[in-house]
Amino acid sequence: MAGELLALTVVAGVVLVGVAALAARTGTLRAGVPTPLGGGTTVTRTEKPGGLRRWVTTVDHKDIGILYGVYSVLMFVWAGGAAMLMRLELLGPGFDLMQAQFYNSLLTSHGLTMLILFGTPVLAAFSNYFIPLLIGADDMAFPRINAIAFWLLPPGALLVWAGFFLAPLTQGDIGPAQTSWTMYAPLSIEQTNPGVDLMLLGLHLTGVSATMGAINFIATIFTERSEKVNWANLDIFSWTVLVQSAQILFAFPLLGSVLVMLIFDRNFGTTFFTVEGGGPILYQHLFWFWGHPEVYILILPAMGLVSWILPKFAGRKLFGFKFVVYSTLAIGVLSFGVWAHHMFSSGVDPRIRASFMAVTLAIAIPTAVKTFNWITTLWNGKIRLNAPMLFSVGFVANLVIGGVTGVFLAAIPIDLVLHDTYYVVGHFHYFLMGGTVFAVFSGIYYWYPLVTGKMYQRTLAKWHFWLTTIGTNITFFAMLLLGYLGMPRRYATYNFDAAVAPLAEVTSLHQIATVGALILTLGQLIWLWNMLSSYYDGPTVEDGDPWNLKDDGMFGRDFQWFEAKLARADGGEASEASRASSELVSDGGEVDADAVATDSGDPRAAAAEPPAERTDD
């Protein structure tokens, strides 16, 4: 086994060296990169290479953002397919479609794909494309590192899923991992399946990718801001990505260390997490020190997206901007002090449990601050319920449910009853599917005209929202009820004695959850069709302000760039209003008081009110 791992490592190293050499040779083909020629002459290429070569060699932050987005959609499809197969199996209490081994493999793949292969990269898609635009930078601080960070992801995903592909080729000698996404020791040590080792190597690659990306975002926000963007008027999305990147720097290297120790325990006889060595509880402490900050790594940029988009369609600036920033910083710090609430039932000292319960309850406060700020932003606003706004409002509603159910789990006595039941599954899916994914859809719809130059079908977008909202709430609310009935998570069957739990009611709730998952899947198919068909056949966007943001003084740096791009394509110049806006409005920079709405939503003359400092404050 050690020889196979060594050979795999050598092959991966050769591939990475080859990619690096290709990037070094052709990386200067991106637009705007000076190329030195003989005799001291310098030329600037104005066009990117065409076809596949453009995407393989690009170091343009916008192209890399698109690559992240396409990759994330593929991950979303895989994870959604695995979830749907599990829900169909759970329609009845016995084994109907698959055996426990394959169910466990789907469970492992679904969790790891959604959390690591989809969640972090899809947020990086927005960050890569838009942060340089929002802060007035030409590109990321380290463009080539940005490209390398992305290209580590596809091989990482293939290694995580490798067991599914290799099982039929090796007569089952190498199969998909069945460790669950938490990879708890000693189970993950004792499984002899080489597919587990491949999965651990793939996760290590994705962790390296996330860490490289985090360093790049921090360096970009600190050093690449334009002169007009300072810490006082930095946009809220960049703030959330900055805090997320700091969290990644503390959390992901630890995960990488844990994965290496697991590989050593499995293959080289070490005892980091074996019962006779460091012990399984040590693994849980280290894993959850990454695992719970990961939840906030996934939700903070989503909160930033909603904080940026929701005010645009409420016709007024974000209420209490500074407190939204402060609450973001508070979540970033407190997220590293709550990990042991996952371990209340593991025999941890009661005094330690009490301290973690207190911090877990405390972290709900900055989240509540954001929620009240979003609601107050909507109050008396000029609300327009288009697709980006619908998903932003849906995000807030789902986040409230996910947050309240989390507060119950923070209480030790309640957690001891509900631990490892479907209540926990419903809680974190409200937070991540109802939260992060809703914010992602809000961002996709809001920036789709900017990225593609086309407008999607708005009726289909609303169908997507309502089907996703209904499906999400049917599926995950049923799981909350299943948890109250004592249904354990991660089980492929539930054909238990009626004395344990009412089997008929449990079966009915599983069937309801599966119906909700089918509705949810239908919504995503509509979204995918809408995105693809609109890209090829949708109406071309000819106005740099497709959302009429100028009417409310909410025209930010992102669409200022888009308007200038359209003007250059037409051979003209940006409008006078856009130039004035570009001078006065950084995405949340200083604006003319005549054009800004107060917190009540009413415009005020300059004489009646001092100039505002932000459009999203």
Side-chain angles (χ1 to χ4, degrees):
M1 186 61 212
E4 295 174 4
L5 287 175
L6 181 60
L8 182 64
T9 303
V10 170
V11 171
V14 170
V15 171
L16 290 176
V17 169
V19 171
L22 182 64
R25 183 167 176 238
T26 61
T28 53
L29 290 173
R30 76 179 178 90
V33 174
T35 305
L37 299 176
T41 307
T42 299
V43 1
T44 300
R45 297 183 184 269
T46 58
E47 294 183 1
K48 301 173 184 176
L52 182 62
R53 189 181 184 190
R54 166 189 172 181
W55 298 104
V56 172
T57 63
T58 183
V59 292
D60 184 341
H61 70 96
K62 297 184 291 297
D63 288 348
I64 293 173
I66 293 171
L67 287 171
Y68 269 106
V70 173
Y71 166 87
S72 300
V73 170
L74 296 176
M75 301 302 104
F76 191 57
V77 170
W78 176 283
M84 200 63 246
L85 287 174
M86 288 189 289
R87 287 302 337 153
L88 291 173
E89 169 60 34
L90 292 169
L91 273 171
F95 288 113
D96 299 313
L97 296 179
M98 64 191 75
Q99 293 302 307
Q101 292 79 6
F102 189 64
Y103 182 93
N104 293 338
S105 301
L106 291 176
L107 177 67
T108 303
S109 172
H110 169 76
L112 291 174
T113 301
M114 283 300 291
L115 281 173
I116 300 179
L117 303 182
F118 166 77
T120 309
V122 76
L123 297 170
F126 291 104
S127 304
N128 268 283
Y129 200 107
F130 293 105
I131 281 184
L133 302 184
L134 293 175
I135 67 174
D138 294 330
D139 206 314
M140 298 289 288
F142 307 111
R144 287 189 175 86
I145 289 179
N146 199 28
I148 293 171
F150 169 76
W151 286 110
L152 289 175
L153 289 176
L158 290 176
L159 286 170
V160 171
W161 303 336
F164 289 98
F165 309 128
L166 295 176
L169 301 177
T170 61
Q171 289 75 48
D173 291 339
I174 301 177
Q178 301 176 41
T179 60
S180 180
W181 69 272
T182 54
M183 301 170 286
Y184 274 170
L187 176 65
S188 57
I189 298 173
E190 295 174 354
Q191 286 190 9
T192 57
N193 172 21
V196 177
D197 298 288
L198 298 176
M199 175 192 73
L200 295 174
L201 290 171
L203 293 176
H204 197 70
L205 279 182
T206 61
V208 172
S209 167
T211 305
M212 293 171 71
I215 294 171
N216 212 350
F217 287 126
I218 292 172
T220 300
I221 294 172
F222 267 85
T223 66
E224 299 296 317
R225 300 191 314 271
S226 74
E227 295 179 355
K228 298 174 185 176
V229 180
N230 53 41
W231 292 114
N233 63 19
L234 183 67
D235 65 279
I236 187 61
F237 180 59
S238 296
W239 271 112
T240 57
V241 172
L242 182 62
V243 175
Q244 179 217 35
S245 299
Q247 289 177 295
I248 288 174
L249 282 187
F250 283 97
F252 269 86
L254 179 66
L255 175 66
S257 302
V258 170
L259 295 175
V260 169
M261 286 187 276
L262 270 181
I263 291 173
F264 273 61
D265 278 2
R266 287 177 51 80
N267 297 283
F268 301 111
T270 56
T271 58
F272 292 111
F273 304 126
T274 60
V275 174
E276 65 274 14
I281 297 300
L282 173 62
Y283 174 85
Q284 292 189 35
H285 277 295
L286 295 177
F287 177 83
W288 287 116
F289 189 83
W290 163 83
H292 203 83
E294 169 68 2
V295 174
Y296 295 100
I297 286 169
L298 297 180
I299 204 66
L300 276 179
M303 291 174 169
L305 286 172
V306 170
S307 298
W308 176 251
I309 295 169
L310 185 143
K312 308 297 185 185
F313 301 100
R316 53 180 299 182
K317 52 189 177 174
L318 179 65
F319 181 85
F321 177 90
K322 291 181 180 178
F323 289 96
V324 177
V325 172
Y326 296 152
S327 63
T328 299
L329 297 171
I331 289 174
V333 173
L334 291 175
S335 66
F336 287 95
V338 298
W339 79 86
H341 70 222
H342 295 273
M343 303 169 59
F344 283 161
S345 62
S346 65
V348 176
D349 187 297
R351 293 165 295 183
I352 295 178
R353 288 194 309 186
S355 65
F356 279 98
M357 179 179 74
V359 179
T360 304
L361 292 170
I363 204 171
I365 296 173
T367 305
V369 168
K370 293 179 184 291
T371 302
F372 286 118
N373 283 357
W374 293 324
I375 294 172
T376 310
T377 301
L378 295 172
W379 189 260
N380 283 339
K382 294 166 56 180
I383 296 174
R384 294 181 286 157
L385 292 177
N386 45 32
M389 184 62 157
L390 286 171
F391 273 101
S392 291
V393 173
F395 167 92
V396 176
N398 292 329
L399 196 71
V400 169
I401 300 174
V404 169
T405 53
V407 169
F408 282 102
L409 289 174
I412 295 171
I414 298 175
D415 182 82
L416 292 176
V417 175
L418 297 176
H419 182 75
D420 263 352
T421 69
Y422 261 80
Y423 184 91
V424 180
V425 180
H427 153 66
F428 70 69
H429 276 86
Y430 260 112
F431 217 77
L432 296 179
M433 179 65 197
T436 300
V437 175
F438 268 61
V440 165
F441 284 134
S442 179
I444 288 173
Y445 282 121
Y446 176 64
W447 279 311
Y448 187 85
L450 184 153
V451 174
T452 66
K454 300 292 185 71
M455 181 56 74
Y456 53 80
Q457 300 180 52
R458 303 189 188 209
T459 301
L460 288 182
K462 291 186 176 181
W463 272 100
H464 173 220
F465 167 75
W466 287 111
L467 288 171
T468 303
T469 298
I470 293 169
T472 296
N473 283 276
I474 290 176
T475 302
F476 303 126
F477 198 82
M479 291 183 182
L480 296 175
L481 299 179
L482 282 167
Y484 281 126
L485 291 177
M487 174 69 201
R489 61 194 287 200
R490 306 190 184 102
Y491 275 47
T493 65
Y494 49 96
N495 200 5
F496 42 70
D497 192 292
V500 177
L503 183 58
E505 285 79 357
V506 170
T507 302
S508 297
L509 285 171
H510 270 300
Q511 292 169 348
I512 291 171
T514 301
V515 170
L518 288 169
I519 295 172
L520 193 55
T521 301
L522 177 61
Q524 308 328 301
L525 292 175
I526 290 175
W527 167 76
L528 194 57
W529 166 257
N530 192 6
M531 296 295 99
L532 292 175
S533 63
S534 298
Y535 178 76
Y536 290 104
D537 300 321
T540 300
V541 176
E542 299 178 351
D543 184 359
D545 183 18
W547 300 116
N548 299 319
L549 300 176
K550 293 178 182 178
D551 295 346
D552 299 310
M554 306 298 293
F555 195 59
R557 234 182 233 279
D558 45 356
F559 280 98
Q560 292 168 24
W561 172 85
F562 181 57
E563 185 175 59
K565 175 185 175 184
L566 292 180
R568 288 194 301 271
D570 291 338
E573 297 181 359
S575 67
E576 188 67 32
S578 176
R579 286 196 298 271
S581 178
S582 181
E583 289 295 323
L584 295 173
V585 183
S586 62
D587 104 70
E590 296 182 354
V591 297
D592 188 345
D594 291 333
V596 176
T598 67
D599 283 340
S600 64
D602 299 324
R604 293 289 187 265
E609 182 176 327
E613 292 186 353
R614 327 186 54 91
T615 57
D616 57 348
D617 191 343

PDB file of all heavy atoms in Angstrom, residues 238-252:
ATOM      1  N   SER A 238     -16.251  42.333   0.677  1.00  0.00           N
ATOM      2  CA  SER A 238     -14.803  42.185   0.874  1.00  0.00           C
ATOM      3  C   SER A 238     -14.466  41.979   2.348  1.00  0.00           C
ATOM      4  O   SER A 238     -13.558  41.214   2.682  1.00  0.00           O
ATOM      5  CB  SER A 238     -14.066  43.408   0.322  1.00  0.00           C
ATOM      6  OG  SER A 238     -14.233  43.512  -1.080  1.00  0.00           O
ATOM      7  N   TRP A 239     -15.204  42.640   3.243  1.00  0.00           N
ATOM      8  CA  TRP A 239     -14.984  42.430   4.672  1.00  0.00           C
ATOM      9  C   TRP A 239     -15.224  40.968   5.042  1.00  0.00           C
ATOM     10  O   TRP A 239     -14.426  40.364   5.780  1.00  0.00           O
ATOM     11  CB  TRP A 239     -15.903  43.327   5.496  1.00  0.00           C
ATOM     12  CG  TRP A 239     -15.351  44.692   5.809  1.00  0.00           C
ATOM     13  CD1 TRP A 239     -15.793  45.890   5.337  1.00  0.00           C
ATOM     14  CD2 TRP A 239     -14.264  44.988   6.701  1.00  0.00           C
ATOM     15  NE1 TRP A 239     -15.050  46.922   5.864  1.00  0.00           N
ATOM     16  CE2 TRP A 239     -14.108  46.405   6.702  1.00  0.00           C
ATOM     17  CE3 TRP A 239     -13.418  44.217   7.478  1.00  0.00           C
ATOM     18  CZ2 TRP A 239     -13.134  47.037   7.469  1.00  0.00           C
ATOM     19  CZ3 TRP A 239     -12.445  44.846   8.243  1.00  0.00           C
ATOM     20  CH2 TRP A 239     -12.314  46.242   8.230  1.00  0.00           C
ATOM     21  N   THR A 240     -16.319  40.408   4.571  1.00  0.00           N
ATOM     22  CA  THR A 240     -16.631  39.023   4.947  1.00  0.00           C
ATOM     23  C   THR A 240     -15.620  38.046   4.361  1.00  0.00           C
ATOM     24  O   THR A 240     -15.247  37.066   5.010  1.00  0.00           O
ATOM     25  CB  THR A 240     -18.054  38.644   4.506  1.00  0.00           C
ATOM     26  OG1 THR A 240     -18.195  38.845   3.093  1.00  0.00           O
ATOM     27  CG2 THR A 240     -19.094  39.475   5.238  1.00  0.00           C
ATOM     28  N   VAL A 241     -15.169  38.296   3.137  1.00  0.00           N
ATOM     29  CA  VAL A 241     -14.163  37.414   2.538  1.00  0.00           C
ATOM     30  C   VAL A 241     -12.830  37.548   3.271  1.00  0.00           C
ATOM     31  O   VAL A 241     -12.104  36.554   3.446  1.00  0.00           O
ATOM     32  CB  VAL A 241     -14.008  37.725   1.033  1.00  0.00           C
ATOM     33  CG1 VAL A 241     -12.824  36.963   0.438  1.00  0.00           C
ATOM     34  CG2 VAL A 241     -15.286  37.371   0.291  1.00  0.00           C
ATOM     35  N   LEU A 242     -12.491  38.742   3.721  1.00  0.00           N
ATOM     36  CA  LEU A 242     -11.259  38.936   4.482  1.00  0.00           C
ATOM     37  C   LEU A 242     -11.286  38.125   5.772  1.00  0.00           C
ATOM     38  O   LEU A 242     -10.309  37.432   6.112  1.00  0.00           O
ATOM     39  CB  LEU A 242     -11.080  40.430   4.794  1.00  0.00           C
ATOM     40  CG  LEU A 242      -9.817  40.821   5.553  1.00  0.00           C
ATOM     41  CD1 LEU A 242      -8.572  40.482   4.751  1.00  0.00           C
ATOM     42  CD2 LEU A 242      -9.841  42.311   5.896  1.00  0.00           C
ATOM     43  N   VAL A 243     -12.405  38.182   6.498  1.00  0.00           N
ATOM     44  CA  VAL A 243     -12.516  37.414   7.747  1.00  0.00           C
ATOM     45  C   VAL A 243     -12.530  35.921   7.438  1.00  0.00           C
ATOM     46  O   VAL A 243     -11.885  35.116   8.137  1.00  0.00           O
ATOM     47  CB  VAL A 243     -13.776  37.833   8.524  1.00  0.00           C
ATOM     48  CG1 VAL A 243     -13.970  36.952   9.752  1.00  0.00           C
ATOM     49  CG2 VAL A 243     -13.674  39.298   8.941  1.00  0.00           C
ATOM     50  N   GLN A 244     -13.246  35.524   6.387  1.00  0.00           N
ATOM     51  CA  GLN A 244     -13.262  34.111   6.003  1.00  0.00           C
ATOM     52  C   GLN A 244     -11.852  33.616   5.695  1.00  0.00           C
ATOM     53  O   GLN A 244     -11.463  32.508   6.101  1.00  0.00           O
ATOM     54  CB  GLN A 244     -14.156  33.912   4.774  1.00  0.00           C
ATOM     55  CG  GLN A 244     -14.216  32.477   4.281  1.00  0.00           C
ATOM     56  CD  GLN A 244     -14.271  32.371   2.761  1.00  0.00           C
ATOM     57  OE1 GLN A 244     -13.663  33.182   2.053  1.00  0.00           O
ATOM     58  NE2 GLN A 244     -14.998  31.400   2.260  1.00  0.00           N
ATOM     59  N   SER A 245     -11.083  34.418   4.984  1.00  0.00           N
ATOM     60  CA  SER A 245      -9.722  34.016   4.614  1.00  0.00           C
ATOM     61  C   SER A 245      -8.842  33.854   5.852  1.00  0.00           C
ATOM     62  O   SER A 245      -8.021  32.927   5.926  1.00  0.00           O
ATOM     63  CB  SER A 245      -9.115  35.046   3.658  1.00  0.00           C
ATOM     64  OG  SER A 245      -9.876  35.145   2.473  1.00  0.00           O
ATOM     65  N   ALA A 246      -9.016  34.735   6.843  1.00  0.00           N
ATOM     66  CA  ALA A 246      -8.268  34.586   8.091  1.00  0.00           C
ATOM     67  C   ALA A 246      -8.654  33.288   8.796  1.00  0.00           C
ATOM     68  O   ALA A 246      -7.797  32.582   9.349  1.00  0.00           O
ATOM     69  CB  ALA A 246      -8.518  35.787   8.988  1.00  0.00           C
ATOM     70  N   GLN A 247      -9.944  32.953   8.779  1.00  0.00           N
ATOM     71  CA  GLN A 247     -10.381  31.691   9.376  1.00  0.00           C
ATOM     72  C   GLN A 247      -9.740  30.498   8.664  1.00  0.00           C
ATOM     73  O   GLN A 247      -9.307  29.530   9.304  1.00  0.00           O
ATOM     74  CB  GLN A 247     -11.901  31.571   9.291  1.00  0.00           C
ATOM     75  CG  GLN A 247     -12.669  32.509  10.208  1.00  0.00           C
ATOM     76  CD  GLN A 247     -14.161  32.362   9.990  1.00  0.00           C
ATOM     77  OE1 GLN A 247     -14.684  32.667   8.920  1.00  0.00           O
ATOM     78  NE2 GLN A 247     -14.855  31.873  11.003  1.00  0.00           N
ATOM     79  N   ILE A 248      -9.701  30.562   7.342  1.00  0.00           N
ATOM     80  CA  ILE A 248      -9.105  29.462   6.568  1.00  0.00           C
ATOM     81  C   ILE A 248      -7.641  29.273   6.949  1.00  0.00           C
ATOM     82  O   ILE A 248      -7.161  28.139   7.088  1.00  0.00           O
ATOM     83  CB  ILE A 248      -9.262  29.737   5.058  1.00  0.00           C
ATOM     84  CG1 ILE A 248     -10.733  29.566   4.638  1.00  0.00           C
ATOM     85  CG2 ILE A 248      -8.371  28.801   4.238  1.00  0.00           C
ATOM     86  CD1 ILE A 248     -11.007  29.949   3.200  1.00  0.00           C
ATOM     87  N   LEU A 249      -6.924  30.378   7.142  1.00  0.00           N
ATOM     88  CA  LEU A 249      -5.507  30.277   7.490  1.00  0.00           C
ATOM     89  C   LEU A 249      -5.292  29.552   8.818  1.00  0.00           C
ATOM     90  O   LEU A 249      -4.282  28.874   9.006  1.00  0.00           O
ATOM     91  CB  LEU A 249      -4.886  31.667   7.570  1.00  0.00           C
ATOM     92  CG  LEU A 249      -4.542  32.350   6.247  1.00  0.00           C
ATOM     93  CD1 LEU A 249      -3.777  33.630   6.512  1.00  0.00           C
ATOM     94  CD2 LEU A 249      -3.725  31.437   5.353  1.00  0.00           C
ATOM     95  N   PHE A 250      -6.233  29.687   9.744  1.00  0.00           N
ATOM     96  CA  PHE A 250      -6.094  29.003  11.027  1.00  0.00           C
ATOM     97  C   PHE A 250      -6.662  27.587  10.996  1.00  0.00           C
ATOM     98  O   PHE A 250      -6.181  26.712  11.713  1.00  0.00           O
ATOM     99  CB  PHE A 250      -6.801  29.813  12.133  1.00  0.00           C
ATOM    100  CG  PHE A 250      -6.035  31.001  12.600  1.00  0.00           C
ATOM    101  CD1 PHE A 250      -6.302  32.259  12.089  1.00  0.00           C
ATOM    102  CD2 PHE A 250      -5.033  30.868  13.553  1.00  0.00           C
ATOM    103  CE1 PHE A 250      -5.583  33.366  12.527  1.00  0.00           C
ATOM    104  CE2 PHE A 250      -4.310  31.965  13.989  1.00  0.00           C
ATOM    105  CZ  PHE A 250      -4.583  33.225  13.476  1.00  0.00           C
ATOM    106  N   ALA A 251      -7.698  27.352  10.178  1.00  0.00           N
ATOM    107  CA  ALA A 251      -8.414  26.077  10.241  1.00  0.00           C
ATOM    108  C   ALA A 251      -7.879  25.027   9.278  1.00  0.00           C
ATOM    109  O   ALA A 251      -7.657  23.873   9.664  1.00  0.00           O
ATOM    110  CB  ALA A 251      -9.907  26.320   9.971  1.00  0.00           C
ATOM    111  N   PHE A 252      -7.657  25.387   8.022  1.00  0.00           N
ATOM    112  CA  PHE A 252      -7.331  24.372   7.013  1.00  0.00           C
ATOM    113  C   PHE A 252      -5.949  23.742   7.197  1.00  0.00           C
ATOM    114  O   PHE A 252      -5.787  22.546   6.934  1.00  0.00           O
ATOM    115  CB  PHE A 252      -7.495  24.949   5.612  1.00  0.00           C
ATOM    116  CG  PHE A 252      -8.874  24.741   5.060  1.00  0.00           C
ATOM    117  CD1 PHE A 252      -9.892  25.643   5.330  1.00  0.00           C
ATOM    118  CD2 PHE A 252      -9.173  23.629   4.282  1.00  0.00           C
ATOM    119  CE1 PHE A 252     -11.174  25.448   4.837  1.00  0.00           C
ATOM    120  CE2 PHE A 252     -10.444  23.424   3.779  1.00  0.00           C
ATOM    121  CZ  PHE A 252     -11.443  24.324   4.055  1.00  0.00           C
TER     122      PHE A 252
END
